[in-house]
Amino acid sequence: MKLKPEDLDKINEKMRSVTNLREGAGRAKITVHMGTCGIASGARKILNEFLTQVEKANTDDVILITSGCAGLCSREPMSTVEIKGEPPVKYVDLDEEKVRQIFEEHVMGGNITSKYALEIGSERLS
Amino acid sequence: MGRFRTNLLLCASTGCVSNKSLELKEAIEIELKKHSLQNEIKIILTGCNGFCANGPIMVVQPEGIFYQFLTVDDVPHLVEEHFLKGRPVEKLMYIPPKKETPVPKMSDIEFFKKQQLIALSNRGSIDPENIDEYIGKDGYRAMVKALTAMTPEEVIEEIKSSGLRGRGGAGFPTGRKWEICKNAREDEKFIICNADEGDPGAFMDRSIVESDPHCILEGMVIGAYAIGASAGFVYIRDEYPLALKRLIHAIKQAKKYGLLGKDILSTGFTFDISVNRGAGAFVCGEETSLIHSLEGNTPEPRTKPPFPAFSGYRQKPTNINNVETWANVPRIIQHGAKWYSEIGTETSKGTKVFSIVGKLKNTGLVEVPMGITMREIVFDIGGGILKDKKFKAVQIGGPSGGCIPDHLLDTPIDYESLTKAGAIMGSGGLIVMDEETCMVEVARYFLSFVQDESCGKCPPCREGTKHMLNILTEITEGRGKEEYIDLLQNMGMLIKETAICGLGNTSPNPVLTTIRYFRDEYEAHIKEKRCPARTCKTLIHYSILEDKCTGCHLCFKNCPTQAITGEVKKAHFITQQKCIKCGMCFDVCRFDAVRYE
């Protein structure tokens, strides 16, 4: 398979999601909180659903990471969505359907799904 | 291809592989499967991160978490905590010297913070055995730009105005070298990549080939286009099996994609690269020896001129550049000469890769902008001297280089300032020495290396270094005479002026610089028969102080050669003929009764 110059662009494009992931550079960052409380209340399903959505949307600039308990165990499963340049938004009491809506409206559409949102912003770090 | 949410970039360079990173990979794979994470988390084997002392190293992306000293036993906990529950494991992170809190992110670690990556820009972040990953990081774009949008003259002009100088040691302007070869009137021309890295303790080139082999191939295609060469060689040490394997694999992939060979990218340009394995002779790093070796002849240098640019491989015009030089080429063409020339100092542009080894807290491979001071490399990146001992000197440029003492630590690093200090930039080996290193012994060591590696063709190098070595051995063994220092200097200058090739010309440098900066140590050895660093064994003398010895018998029990005699509760005695000066008695004595001088 001999390449032409434009084929290089195609490979480059195809690899974009990998490159972005490696550099931690993405337009949107989704954090699924997976403390014991989160896992117990179904955070695994939430993570899987986000993964499916990312794959389905075939987007290469959404980064999905896991982290520990966010501190509000009674409202788990929780996720934080952060669009580059905007404050992070925490979503609570999630299920797969809510994930699909949040992904479509907020992650891809850029509009906060306020009916599931807990608050905007993070705790102060001192 | 399924999407992965996390990439585990596990170092699979020579250093980390020997620290069992491949076993680690298997263990992680098993553990990921246990938690059904194998379709979400992917392990990628990368090239060297540079922080070899702390290997095996793994970087977790997208978070950028840096793990070190990993063992197979750590894996179950790590996978469950971090990859399943999202809680990075603190005890596997880097803790800076004298601090208690770990630094989770690679980008915040002092060792990495002061570095600027150009030649190593893909290190640790791509799989070197997958050409698509290189292309994903804009690989081969510079080649397309050169072949389709630039004339050979424009390429040379770009390299010339970037200020790139040869990274193999001498620092000849690369663009100028290409131009000379291009202007040579012959139809057939060759280019060579010199990957015959031989300095003790240096591994810059190996690391570049292991972590990013395609950038060298790309650089060579660009160079061949500019010069008008149709064939190229990589002359690489056979002692670098991993680098060799990845390089050969890369060439195969590039050929399959039509990025090498006939009619590259349908542009009409044809160029092919073959690999030649060297048998590890230091002299083959010298251009003309390398060419002789490549032709199948004895690797001996010849006098220049004619330079290889006029008469090289098979008497045809040949351009040789070092691995690191080639690795810089694609980045210069892609980002432009102006971008490159803004980095560095007036006379030395861009960055330089150094392998920093010796008595340092952080050892490994670093790429820093020219103009950085030695102090920043040793104390900020290197983290200071091991066990907080005192810094004495740093040897730069290997056996051809010289040492930089304490009072020159703030000199900005560039070709000229290092030459002024009596050292050379060299290929980038930095050996840091502390107060317990004897500088006469250092000079003796490097000279014995040169003496072993001298090809024997010219008398100054063959005989001269042998005599200098004899004199140094006499000094370290306490038989030095006062006239020896002058004699060493005179012989050194003579060899410098008369040896045929670079190996011989530069071989006296370690001796000359140590005399220049540490003359007092030479004098102590000669006049007082004393080694101030207490490393020259013949000059150390252990004895037991009768009034302090309680006769506890501990030294007696620990002496490996039974050199100590004495009865319990009576003063002990060391028989000097049997003593091997290991210092064991000194270490075990609880009453300060053992003295050395």
Side-chain angles (χ1 to χ4, degrees):
Chain A
M1 177 193 44
K2 297 259 176 194
L3 300 187
K4 296 214 159 52
E6 55 273 21
D7 297 327
L8 280 177
D9 292 338
K10 282 182 204 148
I11 298 174
N12 187 284
E13 193 58 41
K14 191 188 87 188
M15 298 302 288
R16 181 71 46 84
S17 65
V18 175
T19 318
N20 281 338
L21 179 68
R22 299 276 171 82
E23 286 164 3
R27 181 184 53 81
K29 188 169 92 180
I30 307 169
T31 309
V32 181
H33 299 280
M34 294 194 61
T36 309
C37 45
I39 296 176
S41 49
R44 210 38 233 177
K45 273 192 289 184
I46 303 306
L47 178 67
N48 286 348
E49 189 55 34
F50 270 123
L51 255 177
T52 316
Q53 291 302 322
V54 171
E55 211 161 312
K56 223 166 86 188
N58 199 24
T59 168
D60 50 29
D61 51 9
V62 176
I63 285 172
L64 192 55
I65 63 175
T66 60
S67 87
C69 169
L72 197 63
C73 312
S74 59
R75 309 294 298 272
E76 295 278 7
M78 289 174 64
S79 291
T80 306
V81 173
E82 187 176 357
I83 308 286
K84 208 172 203 169
E86 291 174 26
V89 180
K90 282 200 167 61
Y91 291 102
V92 290
D93 301 323
L94 295 175
D95 59 29
E96 281 147 306
E97 179 48 39
K98 290 179 187 169
V99 166
R100 281 191 282 276
Q101 278 187 46
I102 293 165
F103 190 84
E104 197 185 313
E105 289 172 18
H106 190 180
V107 179
M108 300 308 285
N111 301 311
I112 297 171
T113 318
S114 36
K115 54 186 170 183
Y116 305 135
L118 172 72
E119 58 171 345
I120 296 171
S122 292
E123 301 91 332
R124 201 155 43 97
L125 297 169
S126 62
Chain B
M1 185 182 80
R3 279 295 167 81
F4 293 94
R5 66 175 162 93
T6 297
N7 276 189
L8 308 179
L9 302 168
L10 179 63
C11 177
S13 222
T14 301
C16 283
V17 167
S18 44
N19 278 325
K20 302 209 160 58
S21 68
L22 297 179
E23 282 89 331
L24 212 55
K25 177 179 181 256
E26 278 176 29
I28 297 172
E29 276 172 347
I30 292 169
E31 211 58 32
L32 287 177
K33 268 202 189 125
K34 225 186 254 174
H35 295 285
S36 310
L37 293 168
Q38 73 272 24
N39 295 324
E40 295 169 25
I41 297 177
K42 189 183 179 192
I43 308 173
I44 294 99
L45 296 178
T46 70
C48 183
N49 272 302
F51 209 171
C52 309
N54 293 22
I57 280 166
M58 184 166 82
V59 180
V60 181
Q61 293 290 18
E63 297 108 300
I65 306 284
F66 179 88
Y67 288 124
Q68 59 173 16
F69 293 124
L70 292 177
T71 66
V72 171
D73 295 342
D74 295 327
V75 170
H77 182 69
L78 175 68
V79 171
E80 187 180 334
E81 280 297 303
H82 189 168
F83 307 142
L84 182 65
K85 297 183 183 168
R87 290 191 290 239
V89 180
E90 285 201 353
K91 66 166 187 178
L92 300 173
M93 294 174 187
Y94 172 75
I95 301 174
K98 291 186 188 164
K99 297 258 168 69
E100 277 162 16
T101 36
V103 182
K105 293 213 173 185
M106 184 170 179
S107 49
D108 295 332
I109 294 174
E110 200 72 26
F111 180 82
F112 297 107
K113 238 161 83 181
K114 284 216 167 179
Q115 297 194 42
Q116 183 172 8
L117 304 184
I118 295 177
L120 291 169
S121 55
N122 286 337
R123 79 160 177 202
S125 67
I126 62 165
D127 175 356
E129 298 189 12
N130 184 348
I131 189 171
D132 285 1
E133 294 209 356
Y134 179 69
I135 297 172
K137 297 268 278 189
D138 294 336
Y140 288 109
R141 288 221 166 167
M143 183 176 102
V144 173
K145 185 177 171 186
L147 295 188
T148 60
M150 296 170 88
T151 64
E153 290 77 14
E154 281 168 348
V155 173
I156 288 179
E157 200 42 51
E158 196 74 8
I159 298 295
K160 266 168 89 175
S161 51
S162 75
L164 175 67
R165 296 170 66 173
R167 295 292 190 252
F172 193 81
T174 306
R176 179 88 191 101
K177 197 171 184 177
W178 287 13
E179 191 174 49
I180 296 169
C181 191
K182 179 185 166 49
N183 292 341
R185 281 185 207 155
E186 281 271 4
D187 291 337
E188 201 178 16
K189 286 170 191 169
F190 298 101
I191 61 168
I192 297 173
C193 170
N194 183 349
D196 191 60
E197 184 174 48
D199 287 10
F203 48 98
M204 297 75 57
D205 296 346
R206 191 198 71 201
S207 188
I208 296 175
V209 179
E210 281 177 4
S211 50
D212 199 10
H214 285 286
C215 77
I216 297 151
L217 304 183
E218 186 179 4
M220 287 179 77
V221 176
I222 295 169
Y225 172 72
I227 292 163
S230 56
F233 303 92
V234 181
Y235 188 92
I236 182 167
R237 292 167 75 90
D238 198 37
E239 291 100 319
Y240 285 177
L242 189 60
L244 198 56
K245 181 184 140 212
R246 292 196 176 148
L247 181 68
I248 291 170
H249 186 73
I251 292 176
K252 228 181 254 169
Q253 286 181 321
K255 278 188 184 166
K256 205 172 121 198
Y257 271 0
L259 302 170
L260 269 180
K262 266 191 197 141
D263 193 14
I264 293 174
L265 287 169
S266 312
T267 56
F269 179 64
T270 293
F271 174 69
D272 213 342
I273 295 176
S274 47
V275 174
N276 256 77
R277 294 176 301 164
F282 187 58
V283 73
C284 287
E286 198 277 338
E287 292 187 324
T288 57
S289 303
L290 188 152
I291 289 170
H292 289 154
S293 170
L294 203 57
E295 290 167 337
N297 299 319
T298 313
E300 284 178 352
R302 61 162 172 79
T303 46
K304 295 190 273 193
F307 286 92
F310 298 104
S311 175
Y313 182 66
R314 292 196 198 138
Q315 281 74 54
K316 300 287 180 189
T318 304
N319 176 76
I320 303 188
N321 285 121
N322 153 276
V323 170
E324 191 185 334
T325 316
W326 289 118
N328 273 295
V329 169
R331 278 93 203 207
I332 294 172
I333 296 299
Q334 193 188 349
H335 302 292
K338 190 169 171 292
W339 162 82
Y340 193 81
S341 64
E342 279 165 6
I343 306 164
T345 68
E346 193 55 40
T347 56
S348 309
K349 302 297 185 188
T351 56
K352 177 78 195 86
V353 182
F354 289 107
S355 62
I356 52 173
V357 296
K359 306 282 178 68
L360 269 183
K361 286 188 179 137
N362 304 332
T363 57
L365 200 77
V366 301
E367 182 170 357
V368 288
M370 295 277 193
I372 193 171
T373 64
M374 197 61 93
R375 187 183 298 283
E376 286 174 277
I377 296 184
V378 174
F379 289 94
D380 296 342
I381 297 175
I385 306 297
L386 264 184
K387 295 181 192 157
D388 291 316
K389 295 216 165 110
K390 224 179 122 214
F391 169 87
K392 186 181 261 182
V394 49
Q395 173 78 16
I396 177 166
S400 308
C403 66
I404 305 280
D406 196 24
H407 71 271
L408 292 176
L409 266 181
D410 288 313
T411 328
I413 292 180
D414 69 10
Y415 289 96
E416 278 65 32
S417 62
L418 287 174
T419 310
K420 224 172 97 193
I424 60 165
M425 177 75 76
S427 58
L430 284 185
I431 303 172
V432 177
M433 295 167 282
D434 67 4
E435 54 189 327
E436 289 182 359
T437 314
C438 169
M439 298 313 285
V440 185
E441 175 55 29
V442 166
R444 203 195 63 83
Y445 165 75
F446 280 116
L447 213 58
S448 74
F449 177 85
V450 169
Q451 172 56 203
D452 277 346
E453 294 291 346
S454 171
C455 76
K457 182 169 180 173
C458 71
C461 180
R462 183 184 66 228
E463 302 296 334
T465 59
K466 194 178 211 159
H467 284 288
M468 282 179 80
L469 178 62
N470 284 344
I471 293 172
L472 284 168
T473 310
E474 297 251 302
I475 296 177
T476 56
E477 290 179 356
R479 297 188 300 276
K481 293 180 190 152
E482 284 199 29
E483 63 267 26
Y484 278 2
I485 299 181
D486 286 341
L487 188 60
L488 281 174
Q489 281 181 317
N490 289 339
M491 286 177 79
M493 292 313 291
L494 191 69
I495 296 173
K496 256 175 116 91
E497 281 161 20
T498 53
I500 288 185
C501 81
L503 191 160
N505 292 148
T506 56
S507 62
N509 283 351
V511 181
L512 296 176
T513 51
T514 47
I515 294 179
R516 179 161 153 193
Y517 298 120
F518 299 96
R519 200 184 178 99
D520 53 329
E521 287 197 27
Y522 279 83
E523 285 170 350
H525 280 78
I526 294 171
K527 290 181 189 159
E528 304 163 38
K529 310 290 177 215
R530 185 173 66 85
C531 173
R534 299 191 207 102
T535 47
C536 294
K537 286 198 169 169
T538 335
L539 301 181
I540 320 175
H541 178 87
Y542 284 93
S543 59
I544 295 172
L545 300 168
E546 261 183 60
D547 52 326
K548 281 198 173 173
C549 180
T550 62
C552 73
H553 222 41
L554 199 58
C555 55
F556 177 90
K557 284 183 196 151
N558 279 286
C559 178
T561 56
Q562 282 95 42
I564 297 176
T565 48
E567 287 169 35
V568 181
K569 290 190 181 165
K570 282 183 185 162
H572 284 46
F573 176 75
I574 300 176
T575 310
Q576 294 302 330
Q577 289 85 349
K578 284 190 184 173
C579 177
I580 55 163
K581 286 142 193 178
C582 66
M584 185 64 93
C585 49
F586 180 82
D587 290 340
V588 297
C589 183
R590 286 177 293 198
F591 306 100
D592 293 329
V594 179
R595 191 177 62 145
Y596 60 74
E597 52 200 307

